[in-house]
Amino acid sequence: MNNKFNKLINSDATKIVTSLIEVPLDSYFDNDIISKIPVLKTFIDIYNLGTSVSDKIFANKLIHFLNELEDISSELILKEIQYIDDSEKYNHKVGEKIIEILNRIDSDGKPKIIGRLFRNFIDKKIEYSVFLKFADIVEKTFYYDLLSLRSCTDGKFYFALDEQLYNIGLVEGTGIGSFNATEEERVEFNQITALITQKGKILLEFGLK
């Protein structure tokens, strides 16, 4: 098991990673902090991290990703990873892909979204290909635009949304409405600015809740 990500999962880091969530970014390499939270040393050793800002940001993203997996057994996570690793369908290792994704995304809250998507893959609620597809969407979309999906009511939005959400297929226009609508229904229809798409519903359900 020479894959670094697999080694980290095998160390049961997910079970105690919550203790790292509140640790300030600049304290990750403080010897006192490391002595109190040994798992931090595991992160540092496995990924050979230094004290650079980029290393600290990477550690922070990885911690927030792993926090979404905290109550799943490492055995189950590794079993699902191994299944994909052994598949001829994909030409990469899962752990390597996770690290690639985390390196590319910004650090606001996207690691948590990616972590939730990956958790739902582990729980067999979505396919691995769906995880990859939506990880790509999360990477390319402004974080706070993604969060706006949480504000839909019965699949409808009542405020202006960024054009990118339309372009990437997460929301769509309302169309022309019903010709047989009542006056009350027309008033309601005119207040709706957009509708969530099936793609948007999947991201909302498995990545943003």
Side-chain angles (χ1 to χ4, degrees), residues 17-189:
V17 75
T18 49
S19 59
L20 297 173
I21 292 296
E22 302 302 325
V23 175
L25 193 64
D26 289 336
S27 301
Y28 279 170
F29 297 87
D30 183 282
N31 288 331
D32 289 336
I33 296 292
I34 292 173
S35 65
K36 293 175 184 175
I37 312 175
V39 71
L40 189 51
K41 187 174 188 305
T42 302
F43 280 114
I44 294 169
D45 289 346
I46 289 178
Y47 284 98
N48 194 28
L49 299 176
T51 58
S52 68
V53 173
S54 61
D55 281 351
K56 292 177 182 179
I57 290 175
F58 169 75
N60 186 58
K61 289 192 285 189
L62 186 55
I63 286 166
H64 281 83
F65 170 87
L66 290 173
N67 188 53
E68 299 299 323
L69 310 177
E70 64 167 335
D71 57 351
I72 305 179
S73 72
S74 58
E75 291 81 8
L76 177 58
I77 297 172
L78 290 171
K79 176 185 175 184
E80 296 303 319
I81 286 176
Q82 193 62 51
Y83 176 79
I84 299 299
D85 285 353
D86 291 342
S87 169
E88 296 181 357
K89 184 176 179 179
Y90 303 98
N91 60 357
H92 62 256
K93 300 296 185 183
V94 173
E96 294 170 358
K97 191 65 177 180
I98 294 294
I99 299 309
E100 177 188 326
I101 291 169
L102 291 178
N103 272 320
R104 289 202 309 255
I105 62 175
D106 56 57
S107 59
D108 279 340
K110 288 185 179 181
K112 297 178 184 178
I113 301 175
I114 299 297
R116 291 184 194 121
L117 288 168
F118 189 70
R119 178 195 178 91
N120 280 297
F121 154 66
I122 297 296
D123 286 341
K124 297 185 181 297
K125 293 180 180 178
I126 60 175
E127 298 288 334
Y128 183 64
S129 59
V130 174
F131 162 73
L132 292 177
K133 178 189 294 185
F134 282 91
D136 185 62
I137 289 173
V138 171
E139 177 194 345
K140 294 175 179 176
T141 309
F142 181 53
Y143 173 63
Y144 293 100
D145 286 340
L146 291 172
L147 292 189
S148 67
L149 294 180
R150 292 175 174 171
S151 299
C152 72
T153 303
D154 295 327
K156 305 167 187 174
F157 297 91
Y158 296 88
F159 56 91
L161 294 166
D162 191 87
E163 190 67 27
Q164 186 183 27
L165 294 178
Y166 292 89
N167 294 339
I168 211 161
L170 298 175
V171 301
E172 62 186 0
T174 57
I176 61 174
S178 171
F179 291 108
N180 297 319
T182 64
E183 184 59 32
E184 184 178 343
E185 288 171 335
R186 289 193 190 94
V187 171
E188 161 72 4
F189 180 79

